Amino acid sequence: MLVYLPVRNYDFIRYDDEQYVTENPQVLKGLTADGLLWAFKTTQLGFWQPLSWISHMADVEVFGLNAGGHHLVSVLFHVINTLLLFFALSALTGAVWRGAFVAALFALHPMHVESVAWIAERKDVLSGFFWILAVWAYVYYVLRPSAGRYMLVLCCVVLGLMSKPMLVTLPIVLLLFDYWPLGRFSGNVRALFIEKLPMFALSAVSGLVTFFTETAGRNLQTAPLDGRIINAVVSCGRYIAKVFYPVRLSVIYPLGDIALWQIIVSACMIAAVSAAALWNMKRYPYLFTGWFLFLIVMLPSSGIVTFGALEFQSMADRYTYVPYVGLFLIFAMALPDSWLNTPAKKNAAAAAAIIVVLVCITASTRQLRHWRDTITLFQYAVSVTQRNYVAYNNLGTALALKGLDNASFTAFEMAVAIEPTYKTAYVNLGNVLLQRNKPEEALRYYEKAVSIDTQLPGAYHGIGVALLSMGRRSEAAAYFEKAIAIDPNHQAARHFLKSLREQGNNP
């Protein structure tokens, strides 16, 4: 709580926060009957996540647009998740101090800063809450099976899937826990799979809904399958590296060329650890459960199936929020009880654990500072990554909103210099030039954007405004109509078109 307390003074980030909160008309109404109905019906942003929408509505109802309140709710969820994880692992393993070490790493690892400090990622901490709660409920179901306790597990799964579809792998995770530490594979293994069938069915439904709502799989064509698999393998290696050396963390990691050595090292590491986990299933069962928990929970966000942000970035810190639990579990269980057989050895292990946690506190505190506002966040992102055209574009947008037109124009120019087909930056360049009252120059950038993508309402609107500034009223009206045809809710284009028609009727 102390590490994350500074977020009470942090702002909204102009990167998804506007879509989830600050510019979302349904969320801005707070908790209303229409809003609740919308939350259950909408697949805006590609996912069916009604509980996440409702949590944002509740924040607006209580805090309005005071970003500090929204931030503190996310921190509260993270603190609760930490406590739940401690209780769940203590119940699972019976090892209280080892469970405490896992929970401490979960709470304080700098790779988790993004999930907690980014208001738009409320779905991470919310789905994590139900994921951990489902595991804890499952432990108590196993200890004393009953229909009521099983229904509690199912409810947690359903609520988790309604927060974020990442819970689709939870039935497999529960099977891993059945193997270790619950030791249920010594009995009727087939019954364990049958027991999970309702959960698998729920996961299948959620997966299909996610697939079809993500614009009917349009994003699946963004890169060849072999390229996506290679990126997933290398990203997995980078996630493992960052658990030990979490530096140069960025809100966006751009896709780029991957060296052969990176592929070989990552593939060999994954293969070696997987082989070791399988070979030593009986001797080191925690290695088997922890390693495959990490891999399986990471799979939906691996990039093999490219949804949302995975179109243009190779990895994301937020994707480790739950998967890292598997790796933390391995670290906590690595020292056998037979080695900790003297007070001196126990004290040495405790001292090492404390040092690791203190290092995490220091690193997380530093990483958190970069999230205080949009400009700070994206200035840091472009400083720690290469050829990050999306970060340059977002930095330019933030600078423009502060009235820093020259700096924003430079950032947008950097974006198109890195990626000449980046249509969004061309539109933004046109917008800056319109602000400078240079419609002829703005027109060229808007036309460039339209030549890349003919379905850009913002570009057509910009062309209309530029033409209107040049006195070409009838042409401008045609472009406003094009913008509205693509986006019927484009209010600015509707306003200009209405004004032109009124002036035409009343010269």
Side-chain angles (χ1 to χ4, degrees):
M1 195 71 178
L2 288 174
V3 167
Y4 282 100
L5 201 57
V7 299
R8 71 190 187 279
N9 298 317
Y10 285 11
D11 203 352
F12 289 103
I13 298 298
R14 191 166 179 81
Y15 183 47
D16 286 359
D17 278 2
E18 71 275 21
Q19 297 183 67
Y20 276 96
V21 182
T22 59
E23 295 178 12
N24 189 306
Q26 292 290 347
V27 174
L28 288 175
K29 296 174 184 175
L31 288 171
T32 65
D34 288 343
L36 294 175
L37 182 62
W38 174 86
F40 280 91
K41 291 171 60 178
T42 187
T43 54
Q44 185 176 330
L45 303 179
F47 298 115
W48 186 68
Q49 46 185 349
L51 287 192
S52 293
W53 289 118
I54 292 169
S55 76
H56 288 303
M57 292 173 183
D59 282 0
V60 171
E61 186 73 25
V62 176
F63 306 110
L65 288 180
N66 175 7
H70 295 249
H71 279 299
L72 287 176
V73 170
S74 292
V75 173
L76 182 60
F77 267 111
H78 184 56
V79 170
I80 293 171
N81 290 348
T82 298
L83 297 173
L84 286 176
L85 183 63
F86 168 66
F87 293 131
L89 291 179
S90 297
L92 265 171
T93 65
V96 174
W97 285 107
R98 295 175 193 264
F101 182 57
V102 173
L105 290 177
F106 175 85
L108 297 163
H109 198 282
M111 286 288 280
H112 287 173
V113 167
E114 182 171 290
S115 293
V116 184
W118 193 358
I119 291 171
E121 287 307 312
R122 172 66 56 76
K123 53 186 178 289
D124 266 10
V125 292
L126 188 60
S127 62
F129 169 78
F130 289 112
W131 189 94
I132 299 167
L133 199 61
V135 171
W136 196 14
Y138 183 72
V139 173
Y140 283 97
Y141 161 74
V142 170
L143 292 175
R144 190 182 299 172
S146 70
R149 293 191 175 199
Y150 185 81
M151 289 304 298
L152 180 60
V153 178
L154 281 183
C155 284
C156 291
V157 173
V158 171
L159 294 173
L161 291 170
M162 291 166 64
S163 305
K164 187 180 180 181
M166 58 81 64
L167 267 76
V168 292
T169 59
L170 184 56
I172 304 175
V173 171
L174 296 181
L175 285 169
L176 290 173
F177 285 135
D178 280 336
Y179 179 75
W180 181 88
L182 294 174
R184 300 180 77 200
F185 269 57
S186 57
N188 187 348
V189 176
R190 183 169 176 269
L192 299 180
F193 283 87
I194 294 173
E195 177 186 69
K196 310 295 186 301
L197 284 179
M199 301 180 207
F200 278 114
L202 291 170
S203 295
V205 171
S206 178
L208 288 171
V209 169
T210 301
F211 179 85
F212 287 110
T213 57
E214 187 64 32
T215 60
R218 173 181 58 84
N219 293 336
L220 296 176
Q221 306 304 319
T222 55
L225 178 61
D226 58 346
R228 284 181 267 138
I229 292 174
I230 288 171
N231 180 71
V233 169
V234 173
S235 295
C236 183
R238 294 174 70 188
Y239 286 128
I240 295 169
K242 285 186 181 294
V243 77
F244 296 103
Y245 192 56
V247 298
R248 301 177 71 84
L249 306 183
S250 174
V251 64
I252 298 172
Y253 299 94
L255 287 168
D257 295 332
I258 297 174
L260 181 60
W261 70 266
Q262 292 176 302
I263 302 171
I264 294 172
V265 170
S266 295
C268 289
M269 177 173 57
I270 294 168
V273 179
S274 298
L278 290 167
W279 185 261
N280 295 285
M281 283 179 65
K282 293 184 179 180
R283 187 177 181 184
Y284 304 120
Y286 63 85
L287 176 60
F288 174 83
T289 292
W291 175 248
F292 287 106
L293 186 157
F294 167 71
L295 289 183
I296 289 167
V297 179
M298 185 65 75
L299 188 61
S301 54
S302 65
I304 295 176
V305 178
T306 52
F307 289 138
L310 292 170
E311 286 185 275
F312 57 81
Q313 64 177 330
S314 58
M315 57 184 287
D317 295 354
R318 60 189 177 275
Y319 296 155
T320 68
Y321 190 69
V322 171
Y324 266 9
V325 171
L327 299 183
F328 296 157
L329 196 56
I330 295 172
F331 304 154
M333 303 303 298
L335 288 177
D337 290 334
S338 59
W339 189 87
L340 299 170
N341 55 5
T342 66
K345 289 180 179 179
K346 290 181 179 180
N347 290 338
I354 291 170
I355 291 170
V356 169
V357 171
L358 289 175
V359 170
C360 285
I361 289 173
T362 302
S364 289
T365 300
R366 289 178 177 175
Q367 182 63 21
L368 188 65
R369 293 171 187 161
H370 303 306
W371 284 88
R372 63 178 177 265
D373 57 51
T374 308
I375 293 176
T376 304
L377 179 64
F378 286 105
Q379 282 179 334
Y380 182 69
V382 299
S383 72
V384 298
T385 57
Q386 295 180 339
R387 299 182 59 79
N388 200 335
Y389 62 94
V390 178
Y392 272 112
N393 181 71
N394 283 279
L395 175 59
T397 302
L399 291 167
L401 289 172
K402 291 291 185 179
L404 304 171
D405 287 350
N406 291 335
S408 68
F409 193 83
T410 301
F412 294 138
E413 283 189 316
M414 285 294 297
V416 297
I418 296 168
E419 179 50 70
T421 63
Y422 192 35
K423 57 197 178 186
T424 306
Y426 285 113
V427 174
N428 287 332
L429 283 166
N431 293 341
V432 173
L433 288 168
L434 275 184
Q435 291 289 333
R436 295 179 179 178
N437 198 27
K438 296 181 178 180
E440 294 88 352
E441 294 180 43
L443 192 59
R444 291 200 297 272
Y445 285 111
Y446 290 131
E447 289 174 342
K448 177 66 176 178
V450 171
S451 72
I452 297 169
D453 186 350
T454 59
Q455 300 297 306
L456 290 176
Y460 287 121
H461 171 260
I463 293 173
V465 175
L467 291 172
L468 191 60
S469 300
M470 296 159 63
R472 296 156 63 178
R473 294 160 52 87
S474 59
E475 293 177 75
Y479 280 99
F480 291 136
E481 288 173 349
K482 285 185 178 182
I484 295 168
I486 298 169
D487 179 9
N489 296 317
H490 202 297
Q491 297 303 319
R494 285 186 174 278
H495 169 76
F496 276 109
L497 187 60
K498 180 181 178 182
S499 178
L500 282 171
R501 288 173 175 170
E502 287 176 350
Q503 291 173 23
N505 293 331
N506 301 282

